[in-house]
Amino acid sequence: MKIRSWLLILLSLFMAFNVQAKTYKVGVALANFDLNFVSILRSQMVSELKQLNMDGQFVDAKGDVALQVQQVDDFINLGVDAIILNPVDTQGVKPMMDAAERAHIPLIFVNRKPEVKLGNAMAYVGSDSAEGGKLQMEALAKRMNYRGNVAILMGALSNEEARERTRAVEEVIARYKDMKVLEKQTAKWQRNEAVDVVSGWLLNGRPIDAIAANNDEMAIGAIMALNQAKNKSILVAGIDGTPDGLQFIKNGGMVLTIFQDAKGQATGAVQVTKALLEKQKTEAYNWVPYKTVTQQNLAEFVTANQQ
Protein backbone atom coordinates (compact mmCIF):
# COMPACT_ATOMS: atom_id res chain seq x y z
CA MET A 1 0.00 0.00 0.00
CA LYS A 2 2.85 2.35 0.86
CA ILE A 3 4.49 1.78 -2.51
CA ARG A 4 1.18 2.41 -4.25
CA SER A 5 0.69 5.64 -2.27
CA TRP A 6 4.15 6.86 -3.20
CA LEU A 7 3.52 6.07 -6.85
CA LEU A 8 0.28 8.03 -6.77
CA ILE A 9 2.08 10.99 -5.13
CA LEU A 10 4.87 10.87 -7.71
CA LEU A 11 2.33 10.65 -10.55
CA SER A 12 0.44 13.66 -9.15
CA LEU A 13 3.67 15.66 -8.87
CA PHE A 14 4.65 14.68 -12.42
CA MET A 15 1.26 15.77 -13.77
CA ALA A 16 1.38 19.04 -11.84
CA PHE A 17 4.89 19.74 -13.17
CA ASN A 18 3.72 19.09 -16.73
CA VAL A 19 0.84 21.55 -16.32
CA GLN A 20 3.19 24.21 -14.91
CA ALA A 21 5.81 23.56 -17.55
CA LYS A 22 3.43 23.83 -20.51
CA THR A 23 4.78 26.18 -23.15
CA TYR A 24 1.95 27.91 -24.93
CA LYS A 25 2.17 28.37 -28.69
CA VAL A 26 0.93 31.77 -29.84
CA GLY A 27 0.32 32.79 -33.45
CA VAL A 28 0.86 36.52 -34.01
CA ALA A 29 -0.72 37.92 -37.18
CA LEU A 30 0.45 41.48 -37.92
CA ALA A 31 -0.93 43.86 -40.54
CA ASN A 32 2.35 44.97 -42.08
CA PHE A 33 5.93 44.45 -40.86
CA ASP A 34 7.03 47.51 -42.86
CA LEU A 35 5.08 49.97 -40.74
CA ASN A 36 7.33 51.57 -38.14
CA PHE A 37 4.86 51.24 -35.27
CA VAL A 38 4.04 47.61 -36.11
CA SER A 39 7.77 46.85 -36.16
CA ILE A 40 8.05 48.13 -32.57
CA LEU A 41 5.03 46.03 -31.55
CA ARG A 42 6.61 42.95 -33.06
CA SER A 43 9.98 43.46 -31.39
CA GLN A 44 8.43 43.96 -27.95
CA MET A 45 6.11 40.96 -28.31
CA VAL A 46 9.07 38.74 -29.18
CA SER A 47 10.73 39.87 -25.96
CA GLU A 48 7.62 39.50 -23.78
CA LEU A 49 6.72 36.06 -25.13
CA LYS A 50 10.23 34.86 -24.34
CA GLN A 51 10.01 36.39 -20.87
CA LEU A 52 6.80 34.47 -20.15
CA ASN A 53 8.13 31.21 -21.65
CA MET A 54 5.73 31.25 -24.57
CA ASP A 55 6.50 30.35 -28.19
CA GLY A 56 5.49 32.96 -30.77
CA GLN A 57 5.16 32.53 -34.51
CA PHE A 58 4.86 35.81 -36.45
CA VAL A 59 3.35 36.33 -39.89
CA ASP A 60 3.09 39.45 -42.06
CA ALA A 61 -0.17 40.14 -43.94
CA LYS A 62 1.55 42.86 -46.03
CA GLY A 63 -1.64 44.91 -45.84
CA ASP A 64 -3.71 42.15 -47.50
CA VAL A 65 -6.99 41.23 -45.74
CA ALA A 66 -7.46 37.94 -47.62
CA LEU A 67 -3.91 36.88 -46.78
CA GLN A 68 -4.46 37.66 -43.10
CA VAL A 69 -7.65 35.57 -43.00
CA GLN A 70 -5.67 32.66 -44.49
CA GLN A 71 -2.85 33.16 -41.98
CA VAL A 72 -5.28 32.96 -39.06
CA ASP A 73 -6.79 29.77 -40.54
CA ASP A 74 -3.26 28.36 -40.86
CA PHE A 75 -2.57 29.11 -37.18
CA ILE A 76 -5.76 27.30 -36.19
CA ASN A 77 -4.83 24.28 -38.33
CA LEU A 78 -1.38 24.25 -36.73
CA GLY A 79 -3.03 23.97 -33.31
CA VAL A 80 -1.77 27.16 -31.67
CA ASP A 81 -3.08 27.85 -28.17
CA ALA A 82 -3.94 31.50 -28.86
CA ILE A 83 -3.79 34.15 -31.60
CA ILE A 84 -2.76 37.79 -31.31
CA LEU A 85 -4.15 39.84 -34.18
CA ASN A 86 -3.20 43.30 -35.47
CA PRO A 87 -5.88 43.51 -38.18
CA VAL A 88 -5.38 44.88 -41.68
CA ASP A 89 -9.04 45.91 -41.82
CA THR A 90 -10.84 46.60 -38.54
CA GLN A 91 -14.21 46.09 -40.27
CA GLY A 92 -13.15 42.82 -41.91
CA VAL A 93 -12.34 40.78 -38.79
CA LYS A 94 -15.56 38.72 -38.47
CA PRO A 95 -14.31 35.67 -40.45
CA MET A 96 -11.25 35.45 -38.20
CA MET A 97 -13.30 35.91 -35.04
CA ASP A 98 -15.73 33.18 -36.11
CA ALA A 99 -12.90 30.79 -36.99
CA ALA A 100 -11.15 31.33 -33.63
CA GLU A 101 -14.42 30.92 -31.72
CA ARG A 102 -15.26 27.66 -33.52
CA ALA A 103 -11.80 26.33 -32.66
CA HIS A 104 -12.10 27.53 -29.02
CA ILE A 105 -8.88 29.52 -29.40
CA PRO A 106 -8.49 32.85 -27.53
CA LEU A 107 -8.18 35.82 -29.90
CA ILE A 108 -6.47 38.99 -28.68
CA PHE A 109 -6.55 42.15 -30.79
CA VAL A 110 -3.67 44.58 -30.41
CA ASN A 111 -3.32 48.24 -31.47
CA ARG A 112 -6.26 48.27 -33.91
CA LYS A 113 -9.68 47.94 -32.31
CA PRO A 114 -12.13 45.68 -34.18
CA GLU A 115 -15.40 47.31 -35.18
CA VAL A 116 -17.31 44.18 -34.24
CA LYS A 117 -18.47 43.12 -30.78
CA LEU A 118 -15.94 40.86 -29.10
CA GLY A 119 -16.93 37.25 -28.51
CA ASN A 120 -15.96 34.76 -25.81
CA ALA A 121 -12.25 34.46 -24.99
CA MET A 122 -11.50 37.67 -26.90
CA ALA A 123 -9.91 40.94 -25.80
CA TYR A 124 -8.49 44.19 -27.15
CA VAL A 125 -5.29 45.86 -25.96
CA GLY A 126 -4.57 49.32 -27.31
CA SER A 127 -5.46 52.99 -27.21
CA ASP A 128 -8.64 54.97 -27.88
CA SER A 129 -8.16 56.25 -31.44
CA ALA A 130 -10.52 59.20 -31.05
CA GLU A 131 -8.66 60.37 -27.95
CA GLY A 132 -5.42 60.47 -29.97
CA GLY A 133 -6.97 62.71 -32.63
CA LYS A 134 -8.54 64.96 -30.00
CA LEU A 135 -5.27 65.46 -28.10
CA GLN A 136 -3.39 66.11 -31.33
CA MET A 137 -5.75 68.76 -32.63
CA GLU A 138 -6.24 70.49 -29.30
CA ALA A 139 -2.48 70.95 -28.96
CA LEU A 140 -2.11 71.96 -32.62
CA ALA A 141 -5.01 74.45 -32.42
CA LYS A 142 -3.32 76.10 -29.45
CA ARG A 143 -0.10 76.48 -31.46
CA MET A 144 -2.16 78.05 -34.25
CA ASN A 145 -3.77 80.54 -31.84
CA TYR A 146 -7.09 78.95 -32.78
CA ARG A 147 -7.17 80.31 -36.32
CA GLY A 148 -6.18 79.01 -39.75
CA ASN A 149 -6.64 76.24 -42.31
CA VAL A 150 -5.86 72.61 -41.49
CA ALA A 151 -5.10 69.76 -43.90
CA ILE A 152 -5.56 66.20 -42.63
CA LEU A 153 -3.42 63.27 -43.76
CA MET A 154 -5.47 60.14 -43.15
CA GLY A 155 -4.26 56.59 -42.67
CA ALA A 156 -5.73 53.65 -44.57
CA LEU A 157 -9.50 54.14 -44.70
CA SER A 158 -10.03 50.46 -43.83
CA ASN A 159 -8.68 51.17 -40.33
CA GLU A 160 -10.76 52.33 -37.40
CA GLU A 161 -7.74 54.37 -36.23
CA ALA A 162 -7.73 56.52 -39.37
CA ARG A 163 -11.45 57.23 -39.32
CA GLU A 164 -11.70 57.87 -35.57
CA ARG A 165 -8.60 60.07 -35.35
CA THR A 166 -9.81 62.10 -38.32
CA ARG A 167 -13.31 62.45 -36.90
CA ALA A 168 -11.89 63.70 -33.59
CA VAL A 169 -9.61 66.20 -35.36
CA GLU A 170 -12.59 67.56 -37.29
CA GLU A 171 -14.67 67.86 -34.12
CA VAL A 172 -11.99 69.95 -32.41
CA ILE A 173 -11.62 72.24 -35.45
CA ALA A 174 -15.41 72.71 -35.60
CA ARG A 175 -15.34 74.28 -32.14
CA TYR A 176 -13.32 77.30 -33.35
CA LYS A 177 -14.98 79.77 -35.73
CA ASP A 178 -11.66 80.94 -37.22
CA MET A 179 -10.46 77.42 -38.11
CA LYS A 180 -11.51 75.05 -40.88
CA VAL A 181 -10.51 71.83 -42.62
CA LEU A 182 -9.13 72.81 -46.02
CA GLU A 183 -7.93 69.42 -47.31
CA LYS A 184 -8.39 65.78 -46.27
CA GLN A 185 -6.77 62.86 -48.07
CA THR A 186 -5.44 59.41 -47.28
CA ALA A 187 -1.73 58.62 -47.54
CA LYS A 188 -2.29 55.04 -46.25
CA TRP A 189 0.03 55.49 -43.23
CA GLN A 190 3.03 55.74 -45.60
CA ARG A 191 5.80 58.35 -45.67
CA ASN A 192 6.24 58.31 -49.47
CA GLU A 193 2.51 58.56 -50.08
CA ALA A 194 2.37 61.63 -47.81
CA VAL A 195 5.19 63.30 -49.77
CA ASP A 196 3.12 62.96 -52.95
CA VAL A 197 -0.13 64.16 -51.36
CA VAL A 198 1.40 67.22 -49.70
CA SER A 199 3.44 68.09 -52.79
CA GLY A 200 0.16 68.13 -54.73
CA TRP A 201 -1.44 70.47 -52.20
CA LEU A 202 1.53 72.83 -52.41
CA LEU A 203 1.60 72.80 -56.22
CA ASN A 204 -2.08 73.72 -56.21
CA GLY A 205 -1.32 76.71 -54.00
CA ARG A 206 -3.63 75.65 -51.19
CA PRO A 207 -3.41 78.14 -48.26
CA ILE A 208 -2.62 75.56 -45.57
CA ASP A 209 -1.49 76.70 -42.11
CA ALA A 210 -1.09 73.29 -40.46
CA ILE A 211 -1.13 69.58 -41.27
CA ALA A 212 -2.56 67.03 -38.83
CA ALA A 213 -1.32 63.58 -39.81
CA ASN A 214 -2.90 60.39 -38.44
CA ASN A 215 0.59 59.00 -37.74
CA ASP A 216 4.24 60.06 -37.55
CA GLU A 217 5.23 58.42 -40.82
CA MET A 218 2.82 60.59 -42.80
CA ALA A 219 3.83 63.66 -40.76
CA ILE A 220 7.46 62.99 -41.73
CA GLY A 221 6.42 62.66 -45.39
CA ALA A 222 4.65 66.01 -45.10
CA ILE A 223 7.79 67.62 -43.66
CA MET A 224 9.89 66.17 -46.48
CA ALA A 225 7.51 67.70 -49.05
CA LEU A 226 7.59 71.04 -47.25
CA ASN A 227 11.40 70.99 -47.13
CA GLN A 228 11.55 70.28 -50.87
CA ALA A 229 9.30 73.30 -51.44
CA LYS A 230 11.36 75.37 -48.96
CA ASN A 231 8.18 76.02 -46.99
CA LYS A 232 8.89 76.70 -43.32
CA SER A 233 5.56 78.24 -42.35
CA ILE A 234 3.25 75.21 -42.16
CA LEU A 235 2.99 73.45 -38.78
CA VAL A 236 2.99 69.63 -38.80
CA ALA A 237 1.74 67.27 -36.08
CA GLY A 238 1.85 63.48 -35.93
CA ILE A 239 0.67 60.59 -33.76
CA ASP A 240 2.62 57.60 -32.38
CA GLY A 241 5.85 58.94 -30.90
CA THR A 242 8.05 56.61 -32.95
CA PRO A 243 11.84 57.12 -32.72
CA ASP A 244 11.83 58.77 -36.16
CA GLY A 245 8.95 61.01 -35.15
CA LEU A 246 10.69 62.07 -31.96
CA GLN A 247 13.81 62.94 -33.94
CA PHE A 248 11.74 65.31 -36.08
CA ILE A 249 10.34 66.88 -32.88
CA LYS A 250 13.92 67.37 -31.66
CA ASN A 251 14.97 68.97 -34.96
CA GLY A 252 11.95 71.26 -34.96
CA GLY A 253 10.40 69.89 -38.14
CA MET A 254 7.38 68.48 -36.30
CA VAL A 255 5.75 70.67 -33.66
CA LEU A 256 4.18 67.83 -31.69
CA THR A 257 3.18 64.19 -31.71
CA ILE A 258 0.90 62.08 -29.56
CA PHE A 259 2.81 59.26 -27.92
CA GLN A 260 1.20 55.87 -28.41
CA ASP A 261 2.83 53.26 -26.20
CA ALA A 262 3.77 50.48 -28.63
CA LYS A 263 5.75 48.60 -26.01
CA GLY A 264 2.92 48.92 -23.50
CA GLN A 265 0.40 47.61 -26.03
CA ALA A 266 2.64 44.71 -27.04
CA THR A 267 3.42 43.73 -23.44
CA GLY A 268 -0.23 44.04 -22.47
CA ALA A 269 -1.37 41.88 -25.39
CA VAL A 270 0.97 39.05 -24.42
CA GLN A 271 0.00 39.29 -20.74
CA VAL A 272 -3.72 39.27 -21.54
CA THR A 273 -3.12 36.28 -23.83
CA LYS A 274 -1.51 34.32 -21.03
CA ALA A 275 -4.28 35.29 -18.61
CA LEU A 276 -6.95 34.07 -21.04
CA LEU A 277 -5.09 30.81 -21.58
CA GLU A 278 -4.90 30.26 -17.83
CA LYS A 279 -8.62 31.07 -17.41
CA GLN A 280 -7.90 34.16 -15.35
CA LYS A 281 -10.30 37.11 -15.25
CA THR A 282 -9.46 39.81 -17.80
CA GLU A 283 -11.11 42.94 -19.15
CA ALA A 284 -12.52 42.82 -22.67
CA TYR A 285 -10.99 46.24 -23.45
CA ASN A 286 -7.57 47.09 -22.02
CA TRP A 287 -6.76 50.77 -22.64
CA VAL A 288 -3.23 52.15 -22.95
CA PRO A 289 -3.28 55.98 -22.57
CA TYR A 290 -1.84 58.55 -24.99
CA LYS A 291 0.45 61.46 -24.05
CA THR A 292 1.24 64.71 -25.87
CA VAL A 293 4.90 65.18 -26.82
CA THR A 294 6.56 68.53 -27.64
CA GLN A 295 10.14 69.77 -27.50
CA GLN A 296 9.53 70.77 -23.88
CA ASN A 297 8.91 67.20 -22.60
CA LEU A 298 10.71 65.26 -25.35
CA ALA A 299 13.34 63.84 -22.97
CA GLU A 300 10.67 61.75 -21.18
CA PHE A 301 9.92 59.78 -24.37
CA VAL A 302 13.26 59.42 -26.18
CA THR A 303 13.77 55.74 -25.26
CA ALA A 304 10.11 54.77 -24.78
CA ASN A 305 9.39 53.25 -28.22
CA GLN A 306 12.91 52.24 -29.18
CA GLN A 307 13.39 48.65 -30.33
Side-chain angles (χ1 to χ4, degrees):
M1 288 293 293
K2 285 184 177 180
I3 293 173
R4 186 180 175 189
S5 296
W6 276 111
L7 286 172
L8 287 170
I9 291 169
L10 287 171
L11 181 61
S12 297
L13 289 171
F14 177 75
M15 290 174 69
F17 175 78
N18 272 353
V19 169
Q20 291 173 357
K22 177 175 174 59
T23 299
Y24 294 115
K25 293 182 175 63
V26 181
V28 185
L30 299 177
N32 195 329
F33 284 7
D34 289 340
L35 293 177
N36 199 324
F37 192 86
V38 174
S39 177
I40 300 167
L41 280 176
R42 178 189 176 194
S43 178
Q44 184 63 24
M45 277 193 275
V46 168
S47 175
E48 188 66 18
L49 285 163
K50 184 177 180 181
Q51 183 90 8
L52 296 181
N53 191 35
M54 301 166 78
D55 286 340
Q57 181 178 341
F58 290 75
V59 292
D60 178 9
K62 304 181 189 300
D64 185 328
V65 181
L67 176 58
Q68 189 165 65
V69 170
Q70 183 59 55
Q71 289 170 337
V72 168
D73 283 341
D74 290 344
F75 279 146
I76 292 170
N77 292 332
L78 285 170
V80 297
D81 297 297
I83 296 170
I84 297 175
L85 177 62
N86 170 239
V88 171
D89 183 343
T90 52
Q91 292 181 322
V93 294
K94 195 70 168 65
M96 293 175 281
M97 293 172 73
D98 291 344
E101 204 155 23
R102 282 194 302 269
H104 305 291
I105 293 175
L107 180 62
I108 298 83
F109 292 90
V110 62
N111 178 243
R112 295 179 176 179
K113 184 168 69 70
E115 296 174 77
V116 179
K117 184 179 178 182
L118 296 177
N120 295 324
M122 293 183 191
Y124 168 70
V125 181
S127 302
D128 181 344
S129 301
E131 183 65 16
K134 179 184 175 185
L135 288 174
Q136 179 194 50
M137 197 58 232
E138 284 177 341
L140 187 55
K142 185 176 180 180
R143 284 294 299 266
M144 297 172 69
N145 294 316
Y146 305 101
R147 62 176 62 246
N149 298 323
V150 180
I152 305 173
L153 283 170
M154 301 177 67
L157 301 182
S158 59
N159 294 161
E160 174 265 353
E161 284 177 301
R163 294 191 302 276
E164 285 298 295
R165 288 175 183 174
T166 299
R167 180 182 61 79
V169 166
E170 291 174 315
E171 286 180 355
V172 171
I173 292 170
R175 296 207 303 262
Y176 303 107
K177 63 181 178 63
D178 294 325
M179 296 183 69
K180 71 175 181 178
V181 176
L182 192 68
E183 292 283 356
K184 182 172 69 170
Q185 191 170 333
T186 180
K188 303 174 185 174
W189 305 117
Q190 302 291 338
R191 189 180 300 195
N192 290 341
E193 295 260 1
V195 171
D196 293 341
V197 171
V198 175
S199 295
W201 290 341
L202 296 174
L203 283 171
N204 290 330
R206 304 298 284 153
I208 297 166
D209 298 299
I211 296 173
N214 283 172
N215 75 341
D216 284 349
E217 282 297 290
M218 293 187 297
I220 291 168
I223 293 165
M224 291 168 65
L226 292 172
N227 288 343
Q228 288 171 10
K230 296 182 169 50
N231 186 315
K232 301 291 184 183
S233 63
I234 297 177
L235 303 176
V236 180
I239 295 179
D240 279 343
T242 61
D244 285 355
L246 296 180
Q247 187 61 43
F248 274 83
I249 296 274
K250 182 179 179 180
N251 294 341
M254 198 187 305
V255 295
L256 64 96
T257 188
I258 304 302
F259 176 74
Q260 185 177 197
D261 191 352
K263 289 187 175 181
Q265 291 183 12
T267 298
V270 174
Q271 291 176 348
V272 168
T273 299
K274 188 167 187 183
L276 283 171
L277 285 168
E278 296 182 347
K279 310 300 182 187
Q280 297 174 9
K281 183 175 174 55
T282 61
E283 297 294 330
Y285 292 91
N286 302 268
W287 301 108
V288 181
Y290 289 107
K291 295 178 182 176
T292 304
V293 186
T294 64
Q295 280 193 334
Q296 284 65 46
N297 66 349
L298 178 63
E300 299 173 31
F301 300 93
V302 169
T303 61
N305 266 344
Q306 286 186 349
Q307 297 185 58

